Structures are given as structure tokens and as C-alpha cells.
Amino acid sequence: MTTTLLALMAASWSVLAELAPWLLLGAIAAGILHGMVPSDLIRRALRGPGGVVRAVLFGVPLPLCSCGVIPAGIGLKESGASRGASVGFLIATPQTGIDSMAVSAGFLGWPFALYKVGAALVTGIAGGLLVERVDPGEPFDGEASAVPVDRSLRGMAMHAVDVVRLIWRWLLFGVLVSALLTVFLPSGGLETLIGGSTVVGLLLVLVASVPLYVCATASVPIAASLIDAGLPTGAALVFLMAGPATNVATLGAIWRGFGGRAVAGYLGTIVVGSMALGMAYEPLLGSLTAQRIGGHEHMAWWAQGAAGILLAGFVWFAVEDLQAAKARHKAARVAARAREIPIAGMTCGGCAARLQRVMNAHVAVETATVSFDTGLLVVTGRIDAETIRGAVEGAGFQVVTPG
């Protein structure tokens, strides 16, 4: 028992050391990208075939998993983008991101990482054009309002931290699953199950991936472990395409937001596209795939240092989550005295967490909770409306005035 536990701890640390440098590099790049992308880009001509291509190109580098991409994609549609452009964005964005690409390159090599980006582009554009043809939707005649973005170095750094904060649980899940596979599944152990058949391996992974929620970045170590266990590299590609882009919750949200034809185009594109591109990988780039995860160690001092930073971040986020849970519990007890304040400018769960920390740090606030899903700040305490507005705007967001 002790030996197994030590082996799991050693394997987890090894995976974390391999993941951390690339993840931190990707998060920094995501912060820079956040500060550089024009704030009115969403409002620009994301309609028609050209709009589909632009929406996919805009979405591919964004570090958004299914949990964040759904409100972003629906927001695109509500801001005037066509259904095809919005669905193309929804297909391509969760498959990859600038952080996921860096981690994929670290684990499986740049040929695989670039092929995965190309796969996201191809499936996103194909799915978007399909939906654009069969379900174009109604013409849009409204005017979307731009959301202010903090483009300072501080704003970029805060966004980089928010990227990791948003997915830290899935990162931890991915590290632990990869360690379990490394310890309990011998190298090449799945080859017997699939009988050396690439098609069988891809189908098994596809069936498992479609209903499962996995984060694009956190699933890379799992995919690398599956390759080491004997699955073809194309099966790992299917896992990294279908897993992040499809799950029961995502499909339900798309059904509600876009309708049945959009769901059919969305799911059909991912299923067919992932299988076709997975099958094509081995003959095209199989010989260039990096050495499998089980075959080498990544224990350089800088990798271990990055792992230590990432692990410290996990602890920090866990403490924040505990504090937020306590605040929600306390707020529930004083709900009768609570004020609900609509907030604009939040783009992900990390924004909500940041605003919640700012509000709870105010001396006049008793409790404060922020929900990205509802867009509401719920606050109790001896704090007036103008002070609340000042604190919210100081954190980079806006109080929505009724009427």
C-alpha cells in the first residue's frame, strides 16, 4: 500500500513537472492575447461564410473550456454573429487554446500540437458553414455594446491567473488520472484490448469522450498516458477533440440556445471530423510524434520550480474556494438583508471570483458573492450604493443601472 502510494505521488509530480512550464507559458500568452485583442472584435461582421472563418480564427487561441465557451458562444449570437459563426466558435474554441497548444507540444511534440490546432480550425469552419447553410437564423439589426477590457500589464497578469484559476480542478483531475494510468496500466497494455486496430481504438475513445467533460489543457496528460498504454496517437487526438468539445451539459446548452439543427451539425461535425482526422494522423505525422510520456523524465530544476509554483496556485485556489463557500453559506443566512446588483463586463468564472474577492475585502461588506451565470453581485453589510459602484468599477466591471 505504501509503495503504491509513493509510486502515485512520484508519478503525479512527474506529470505536474511536465505540465507546469508549458501551462504557465500558455497562461502568460493568454494574458497578453487578452490585452491585445480589440474589444469590439465580436461586433465586426461575424456573419456569412467569412464571419464563420473569422469567428473560428478568433476562438482557436482563446483558453476557454466548455464551461466558459458556452456563454461566450451564446453571447456572440446575441451580439449579432450568425448561428454558423457562433457554432463554429463553439466547435473550435474548446478543442484548443494557446495554453493547451503549449502543453500539447510539451507532452507530444509540436507536430501533434499544430495538427491539433489545424483539426480545430477544419472542424470549426466545416461545422459553422454547415449550420450557416441549414440554419442561418434571423437577420440581426441590433447594436452590441463593447465591454471595457483592462489592457494594462496588471490586467494581463490578472487574466493569466484567471485562466489557471478557471481550470485548476480539471488540471488536478488530469494529473491524477494520468498518474493512475501510469502506475496501474502497463506500457502497451491497451494494445491487446484493441487488437492492434486503429479504427477500434479510435471508436472506443470516441464513445467514451462524447458524453464526458474534460478540459482541453488538463486532458493532454491523460491522452499522453493513453498513448503510452498502447492506443494509437490518432486516438489521443480524438480524445482531445471530442472530450473538450462535447458533453451532455454542452449539448443541452446548445440545444436551448440554438435549436436541434445546430446541435446535429455541431455533434456530427465533431464525430466525423475527429474520426477522419484521427485516422489521417498516423500516415501523415505518426513518425514525428514526440516520445511517449512513459519513456522519459522531466525533472529539470526549472520544470520542478514551475511545478512548485503551479502546486502553490492549486493550494491558493482551493483556499479561495473554501472561503467563497463559507461566504455563500453566510450569505444564505442573511439573504433577507442582501442586495442583488447586476454586473456587466464579466467574461468568465475567473472574473466573478476576482470581483468577489475585491468586494469581500471591503471593510463595510459583511458578505459578497458573485455569480458569472446570473451576472449578479449579492452583497450584505453597511455599504452604500455609490461605494459598491466604485468598488465594482475599480475591479474593472460595471454596475448595470435598471431601465
Side-chain angles (χ1 to χ4, degrees), residues 143-159:
E143 185 73 18
S145 58
V147 176
V149 174
D150 184 354
R151 302 188 184 281
S152 66
L153 288 176
R154 178 176 177 271
M156 294 182 191
M158 292 174 66
H159 183 77

Side-chain angles (χ1 to χ4, degrees), residues 60-368:
V60 161
L62 296 181
L64 289 176
C65 290
S66 294
C67 57
V69 78
I70 291 298
I74 292 175
L76 271 178
K77 182 169 74 76
E78 293 176 348
S79 297
S82 67
R83 288 176 178 267
S86 303
V87 170
F89 176 87
L90 287 167
I91 291 173
T93 305
Q95 293 184 45
T96 188
I98 201 161
D99 55 336
S100 173
M101 183 173 68
V103 172
S104 297
F107 274 87
L108 297 167
W110 279 105
F112 182 91
L114 294 175
Y115 188 89
K116 185 160 78 82
V117 172
L121 286 169
V122 169
T123 52
I125 292 172
L129 291 176
L130 176 62
V131 171
E132 189 76 13
R133 183 175 181 84
V134 303
D135 188 21
E138 297 295 326
F140 178 77
D141 57 4
E143 185 73 18
S145 58
V147 176
V149 174
D150 184 354
R151 302 188 184 281
S152 66
L153 288 176
R154 178 176 177 271
M156 294 182 191
M158 292 174 66
H159 183 77
V161 173
D162 286 342
V163 166
V164 183
R165 177 184 285 110
L166 191 63
I167 62 173
W168 78 270
R169 298 181 192 84
W170 293 109
L171 289 170
L172 185 60
F173 172 77
V175 168
L176 293 176
V177 170
S178 180
L180 287 168
L181 290 173
T182 301
V183 172
F184 292 107
L185 196 60
S187 181
L190 289 176
E191 288 178 339
T192 303
L193 176 64
I194 66 173
S197 171
T198 299
V199 176
V200 172
L202 267 63
L203 284 172
L204 284 174
V205 171
L206 180 64
V207 170
S209 299
V210 166
L212 181 68
Y213 177 85
V214 286
C215 170
T217 305
S219 59
V220 173
I222 302 174
S225 295
L226 291 174
I227 294 174
D228 186 55
L231 287 180
T233 307
L237 180 72
V238 171
F239 180 72
L240 293 173
M241 291 177 67
T246 62
N247 60 73
V248 175
T250 298
L251 295 175
I254 295 174
W255 183 287
R256 291 191 299 272
F258 294 86
R261 283 188 288 183
V263 169
Y266 177 91
L267 185 58
T269 299
I270 293 170
V271 169
V272 174
S274 63
M275 284 293 294
L277 291 164
M279 288 289 295
Y281 182 84
E282 289 295 338
L284 290 175
L285 295 174
S287 62
L288 298 179
T289 302
Q291 187 179 8
R292 294 172 180 177
I293 188 173
H296 56 94
E297 295 286 336
H298 283 265
M299 299 301 285
W301 66 266
W302 48 268
Q304 295 197 63
I309 293 172
L310 189 58
L311 186 60
F314 288 173
V315 174
W316 178 24
F317 300 145
V319 170
E320 284 184 339
D321 285 354
L322 286 173
Q323 291 174 339
K326 289 181 179 178
R328 286 193 297 271
H329 180 69
K330 187 175 181 181
R333 292 183 298 171
V334 294
R337 296 186 289 122
R339 283 176 286 176
E340 292 187 347
I341 302 165
I343 302 296
M346 297 189 295
T347 59
C348 65
C351 295
R354 175 152 52 89
L355 177 58
Q356 183 169 296
R357 290 195 309 277
V358 169
M359 295 306 303
N360 277 306
H362 200 285
V363 293
V365 171
E366 191 172 316
T367 64

